[in-house]
CSV table of all heavy atoms in Angstrom, one decimal:
chain,number,residue,atom,x,y,z
A,1,LEU,N,9.5,-95.0,51.6
A,1,LEU,CA,9.2,-96.0,52.6
A,1,LEU,C,8.0,-95.6,53.5
A,1,LEU,O,7.1,-96.4,53.8
A,1,LEU,CB,10.4,-96.3,53.5
A,1,LEU,CG,10.3,-97.2,54.7
A,1,LEU,CD1,9.8,-98.6,54.2
A,1,LEU,CD2,11.6,-97.3,55.5
A,2,GLY,N,8.0,-94.3,53.8
A,2,GLY,CA,6.8,-93.7,54.5
A,2,GLY,C,5.6,-93.8,53.7
A,2,GLY,O,4.5,-94.1,54.2
A,3,VAL,N,5.7,-93.6,52.4
A,3,VAL,CA,4.5,-93.6,51.5
A,3,VAL,C,4.0,-95.1,51.5
A,3,VAL,O,2.7,-95.3,51.6
A,3,VAL,CB,4.9,-93.2,50.1
A,3,VAL,CG1,3.7,-93.5,49.1
A,3,VAL,CG2,5.2,-91.7,50.1
A,4,ARG,N,4.8,-96.0,51.4
A,4,ARG,CA,4.4,-97.4,51.4
A,4,ARG,C,3.6,-97.8,52.7
A,4,ARG,O,2.6,-98.4,52.6
A,4,ARG,CB,5.6,-98.4,51.3
A,4,ARG,CG,6.2,-98.5,49.9
A,4,ARG,CD,7.5,-99.2,50.0
A,4,ARG,NE,7.4,-100.6,50.5
A,4,ARG,CZ,8.4,-101.4,50.8
A,4,ARG,NH1,9.6,-100.9,50.7
A,4,ARG,NH2,8.2,-102.6,51.3
A,5,ARG,N,4.1,-97.3,53.8
A,5,ARG,CA,3.5,-97.6,55.1
A,5,ARG,C,2.2,-96.8,55.3
A,5,ARG,O,1.2,-97.3,55.8
A,5,ARG,CB,4.5,-97.4,56.2
A,5,ARG,CG,5.7,-98.3,56.2
A,5,ARG,CD,6.3,-98.3,57.6
A,5,ARG,NE,6.5,-97.0,58.2
A,5,ARG,CZ,6.8,-96.8,59.5
A,5,ARG,NH1,7.0,-97.9,60.3
A,5,ARG,NH2,7.0,-95.6,60.0
A,6,SER,N,2.3,-95.5,55.1
A,6,SER,CA,1.2,-94.6,55.5
A,6,SER,C,0.2,-94.2,54.4
A,6,SER,O,-0.9,-93.8,54.7
A,6,SER,CB,1.8,-93.3,56.1
A,6,SER,OG,2.6,-93.6,57.1
A,7,ILE,N,0.5,-94.4,53.2
A,7,ILE,CA,-0.4,-94.1,52.1
A,7,ILE,C,-0.9,-95.4,51.4
A,7,ILE,O,-2.1,-95.6,51.3
A,7,ILE,CB,0.3,-93.3,51.0
A,7,ILE,CG1,0.9,-92.0,51.6
A,7,ILE,CG2,-0.7,-92.9,49.9
A,7,ILE,CD1,-0.1,-91.1,52.3
A,8,PHE,N,0.0,-96.3,51.1
A,8,PHE,CA,-0.4,-97.6,50.4
A,8,PHE,C,-0.8,-98.6,51.4
A,8,PHE,O,-1.3,-99.7,51.1
A,8,PHE,CB,0.7,-98.1,49.5
A,8,PHE,CG,1.1,-97.1,48.4
A,8,PHE,CD1,2.3,-97.2,47.8
A,8,PHE,CD2,0.1,-96.2,47.9
A,8,PHE,CE1,2.7,-96.3,46.8
A,8,PHE,CE2,0.5,-95.4,46.9
A,8,PHE,CZ,1.7,-95.4,46.3
A,9,MET,N,-0.5,-98.4,52.7
A,9,MET,CA,-0.7,-99.4,53.8
A,9,MET,C,0.0,-100.7,53.5
A,9,MET,O,-0.6,-101.8,53.7
A,9,MET,CB,-2.2,-99.6,54.0
A,9,MET,CG,-3.0,-98.3,54.3
A,9,MET,SD,-2.3,-97.4,55.7
A,9,MET,CE,-3.2,-95.9,55.6
A,10,MET,N,1.2,-100.7,53.0
A,10,MET,CA,2.0,-101.9,52.7
A,10,MET,C,3.1,-101.9,53.7
A,10,MET,O,4.0,-101.1,53.7
A,10,MET,CB,2.5,-101.8,51.3
A,10,MET,CG,1.5,-101.8,50.2
A,10,MET,SD,2.2,-101.7,48.6
A,10,MET,CE,0.8,-101.8,47.5
A,11,ARG,N,3.2,-103.0,54.5
A,11,ARG,CA,4.2,-103.1,55.4
A,11,ARG,C,5.5,-103.6,54.8
A,11,ARG,O,5.4,-104.6,54.0
A,11,ARG,CB,3.8,-104.1,56.5
A,11,ARG,CG,2.6,-103.7,57.4
A,11,ARG,CD,2.3,-104.7,58.5
A,11,ARG,NE,3.4,-104.8,59.4
A,11,ARG,CZ,3.4,-105.6,60.5
A,11,ARG,NH1,2.4,-106.4,60.7
A,11,ARG,NH2,4.5,-105.6,61.3
A,12,PRO,N,6.7,-103.0,55.1
A,12,PRO,CA,7.9,-103.5,54.5
A,12,PRO,C,8.2,-104.9,55.0
A,12,PRO,O,7.8,-105.3,56.1
A,12,PRO,CB,9.0,-102.5,54.9
A,12,PRO,CG,8.4,-101.9,56.1
A,12,PRO,CD,6.9,-101.9,55.9
A,13,SER,N,9.1,-105.6,54.2
A,13,SER,CA,9.4,-107.0,54.6
A,13,SER,C,10.5,-107.1,55.7
A,13,SER,O,10.7,-108.2,56.3
A,13,SER,CB,9.9,-107.8,53.4
A,13,SER,OG,10.9,-107.1,52.7
A,14,LEU,N,11.1,-106.0,55.9
A,14,LEU,CA,12.2,-105.9,57.0
A,14,LEU,C,11.8,-104.8,58.0
A,14,LEU,O,11.1,-103.9,57.7
A,14,LEU,CB,13.5,-105.6,56.4
A,14,LEU,CG,14.1,-106.6,55.4
A,14,LEU,CD1,15.4,-106.1,54.8
A,14,LEU,CD2,14.4,-108.0,56.2
A,15,PRO,N,12.3,-104.9,59.2
A,15,PRO,CA,12.1,-103.8,60.2
A,15,PRO,C,12.6,-102.5,59.6
A,15,PRO,O,13.6,-102.5,58.9
A,15,PRO,CB,12.9,-104.3,61.4
A,15,PRO,CG,13.1,-105.7,61.3
A,15,PRO,CD,13.1,-106.0,59.8
A,16,VAL,N,12.0,-101.4,60.0
A,16,VAL,CA,12.3,-100.1,59.4
A,16,VAL,C,13.8,-99.8,59.7
A,16,VAL,O,14.5,-99.3,58.8
A,16,VAL,CB,11.4,-99.0,60.0
A,16,VAL,CG1,11.9,-97.6,59.6
A,16,VAL,CG2,10.0,-99.2,59.4
A,17,ASP,N,14.2,-100.0,60.9
A,17,ASP,CA,15.6,-99.7,61.3
A,17,ASP,C,16.6,-100.4,60.3
A,17,ASP,O,17.6,-99.8,59.9
A,17,ASP,CB,15.9,-100.0,62.7
A,17,ASP,CG,15.4,-99.0,63.7
A,17,ASP,OD1,14.9,-97.9,63.2
A,17,ASP,OD2,15.4,-99.2,64.9
A,18,ALA,N,16.3,-101.7,60.1
A,18,ALA,CA,17.2,-102.4,59.2
A,18,ALA,C,17.2,-101.9,57.8
A,18,ALA,O,18.2,-101.8,57.1
A,18,ALA,CB,16.8,-103.9,59.2
A,19,LEU,N,16.0,-101.5,57.3
A,19,LEU,CA,15.9,-100.9,55.9
A,19,LEU,C,16.6,-99.6,55.8
A,19,LEU,O,17.3,-99.3,54.8
A,19,LEU,CB,14.4,-100.7,55.6
A,19,LEU,CG,13.6,-102.0,55.2
A,19,LEU,CD1,12.2,-101.7,55.0
A,19,LEU,CD2,14.2,-102.5,53.9
A,20,VAL,N,16.5,-98.8,56.8
A,20,VAL,CA,17.1,-97.5,56.8
A,20,VAL,C,18.6,-97.7,56.8
A,20,VAL,O,19.4,-97.0,56.0
A,20,VAL,CB,16.7,-96.6,58.0
A,20,VAL,CG1,17.6,-95.3,58.1
A,20,VAL,CG2,15.2,-96.2,57.9
A,21,GLU,N,19.1,-98.5,57.7
A,21,GLU,CA,20.6,-98.8,57.7
A,21,GLU,C,21.1,-99.3,56.3
A,21,GLU,O,22.1,-98.9,55.8
A,21,GLU,CB,20.9,-99.8,58.8
A,21,GLU,CG,22.4,-100.1,58.8
A,21,GLU,CD,22.8,-101.0,60.0
A,21,GLU,OE1,22.0,-101.3,60.8
A,21,GLU,OE2,24.0,-101.4,60.0
A,22,GLN,N,20.3,-100.2,55.7
A,22,GLN,CA,20.6,-100.7,54.4
A,22,GLN,C,20.7,-99.6,53.4
A,22,GLN,O,21.7,-99.6,52.6
A,22,GLN,CB,19.6,-101.8,54.0
A,22,GLN,CG,19.8,-102.4,52.6
A,22,GLN,CD,18.8,-103.4,52.3
A,22,GLN,OE1,18.9,-104.5,52.7
A,22,GLN,NE2,17.8,-103.0,51.5
A,23,GLN,N,19.7,-98.8,53.4
A,23,GLN,CA,19.7,-97.7,52.4
A,23,GLN,C,20.9,-96.7,52.6
A,23,GLN,O,21.5,-96.3,51.6
A,23,GLN,CB,18.4,-96.9,52.5
A,23,GLN,CG,17.2,-97.7,52.0
A,23,GLN,CD,17.3,-98.1,50.6
A,23,GLN,OE1,17.4,-99.3,50.2
A,23,GLN,NE2,17.3,-97.1,49.7
A,24,VAL,N,21.2,-96.4,53.9
A,24,VAL,CA,22.3,-95.5,54.1
A,24,VAL,C,23.6,-96.1,53.7
A,24,VAL,O,24.5,-95.5,53.1
A,24,VAL,CB,22.3,-95.1,55.6
A,24,VAL,CG1,23.6,-94.3,55.9
A,24,VAL,CG2,21.1,-94.3,56.0
A,25,ARG,N,23.8,-97.4,54.0
A,25,ARG,CA,25.1,-98.0,53.7
A,25,ARG,C,25.3,-98.1,52.2
A,25,ARG,O,26.4,-98.0,51.6
A,25,ARG,CB,25.2,-99.4,54.4
A,25,ARG,CG,25.3,-99.3,55.9
A,25,ARG,CD,25.9,-100.5,56.5
A,25,ARG,NE,25.8,-100.5,58.0
A,25,ARG,CZ,26.6,-99.8,58.8
A,25,ARG,NH1,27.6,-99.1,58.2
A,25,ARG,NH2,26.5,-99.8,60.1
A,26,MET,N,24.2,-98.4,51.5
A,26,MET,CA,24.3,-98.4,50.0
A,26,MET,C,24.6,-97.0,49.5
A,26,MET,O,25.4,-96.9,48.5
A,26,MET,CB,23.0,-98.9,49.4
A,26,MET,CG,22.8,-100.4,49.6
A,26,MET,SD,21.5,-101.1,48.6
A,26,MET,CE,20.0,-100.2,49.2
A,27,PHE,N,24.0,-96.0,50.1
A,27,PHE,CA,24.3,-94.6,49.6
A,27,PHE,C,25.7,-94.3,49.9
A,27,PHE,O,26.4,-93.7,49.0
A,27,PHE,CB,23.4,-93.6,50.4
A,27,PHE,CG,24.0,-92.3,50.5
A,27,PHE,CD1,24.0,-91.4,49.4
A,27,PHE,CD2,24.5,-91.8,51.7
A,27,PHE,CE1,24.5,-90.1,49.5
A,27,PHE,CE2,25.1,-90.5,51.8
A,27,PHE,CZ,25.1,-89.7,50.6
A,28,VAL,N,26.3,-94.6,51.0
A,28,VAL,CA,27.7,-94.2,51.4
A,28,VAL,C,28.6,-95.0,50.4
A,28,VAL,O,29.5,-94.3,49.9
A,28,VAL,CB,28.0,-94.6,52.8
A,28,VAL,CG1,29.5,-94.5,53.1
A,28,VAL,CG2,27.2,-93.7,53.8
A,29,ALA,N,28.4,-96.2,50.2
A,29,ALA,CA,29.2,-97.0,49.3
A,29,ALA,C,29.2,-96.4,47.8
A,29,ALA,O,30.2,-96.2,47.2
A,29,ALA,CB,28.8,-98.5,49.2
A,30,GLY,N,28.0,-96.1,47.4
A,30,GLY,CA,27.8,-95.5,46.1
A,30,GLY,C,28.4,-94.1,46.0
A,30,GLY,O,29.1,-93.7,44.9
A,31,PHE,N,28.3,-93.3,47.0
A,31,PHE,CA,28.9,-91.9,47.0
A,31,PHE,C,30.4,-92.0,46.9
A,31,PHE,O,31.0,-91.3,46.2
A,31,PHE,CB,28.4,-91.2,48.3
A,31,PHE,CG,28.7,-89.8,48.3
A,31,PHE,CD1,27.8,-88.9,47.9
A,31,PHE,CD2,29.9,-89.3,48.7
A,31,PHE,CE1,28.0,-87.5,47.9
A,31,PHE,CE2,30.2,-87.9,48.7
A,31,PHE,CZ,29.2,-87.0,48.3
A,32,ARG,N,31.0,-92.9,47.7
A,32,ARG,CA,32.4,-93.1,47.7
A,32,ARG,C,32.9,-93.5,46.3
A,32,ARG,O,33.9,-93.1,45.8
A,32,ARG,CB,32.9,-94.0,48.8
A,32,ARG,CG,32.8,-93.4,50.2
A,32,ARG,CD,33.1,-94.4,51.3
A,32,ARG,NE,33.3,-93.7,52.6
A,32,ARG,CZ,33.2,-94.3,53.7
A,32,ARG,NH1,32.8,-95.6,53.8
A,32,ARG,NH2,33.4,-93.6,54.9
A,33,ALA,N,32.2,-94.5,45.8
A,33,ALA,CA,32.5,-95.0,44.4
A,33,ALA,C,32.5,-93.9,43.4
A,33,ALA,O,33.3,-93.8,42.5
A,33,ALA,CB,31.6,-96.2,44.1
A,34,MET,N,31.4,-93.0,43.5
A,34,MET,CA,31.3,-92.0,42.5
A,34,MET,C,32.5,-91.0,42.6
A,34,MET,O,33.0,-90.6,41.6
A,34,MET,CB,30.0,-91.2,42.8
A,34,MET,CG,29.7,-90.0,41.9
A,34,MET,SD,28.2,-89.1,42.4
A,34,MET,CE,28.6,-88.5,44.0
A,35,LEU,N,32.9,-90.6,43.8
A,35,LEU,CA,34.0,-89.7,44.0
A,35,LEU,C,35.3,-90.3,43.6
A,35,LEU,O,36.1,-89.7,43.0
A,35,LEU,CB,34.1,-89.2,45.4
A,35,LEU,CG,32.9,-88.3,45.9
A,35,LEU,CD1,33.2,-87.7,47.3
A,35,LEU,CD2,32.6,-87.1,44.9
A,36,THR,N,35.5,-91.6,43.8
A,36,THR,CA,36.7,-92.3,43.4
A,36,THR,C,36.8,-92.3,41.9
A,36,THR,O,37.9,-92.1,41.3
A,36,THR,CB,36.7,-93.7,44.0
A,36,THR,OG1,36.7,-93.7,45.4
A,36,THR,CG2,37.9,-94.5,43.6
A,37,ALA,N,35.7,-92.6,41.3
A,37,ALA,CA,35.7,-92.7,39.8
A,37,ALA,C,36.0,-91.3,39.2
A,37,ALA,O,36.7,-91.2,38.2
A,37,ALA,CB,34.3,-93.2,39.3
């Protein structure tokens, strides 16, 4: 995400805080699913 903003100069389509929260929640859900499996 930092590379997109600071190297490629491409602004994300969502606010950074929203994107970070989305990524973290997907990670947590996936991590729990992995351990459950």
Side-chain angles (χ1 to χ4, degrees):
L1 178 56
V3 170
R4 285 171 59 190
R5 294 200 315 168
S6 301
I7 306 298
F8 299 153
M9 305 304 173
M10 296 178 179
R11 297 183 63 180
S13 55
L14 295 175
V16 169
D17 283 353
L19 282 171
V20 171
E21 180 176 351
Q22 175 178 283
Q23 292 300 113
V24 173
R25 293 198 188 282
M26 287 193 299
F27 156 74
V28 170
F31 192 93
R32 285 174 168 157
M34 176 182 68
L35 292 188
T36 299

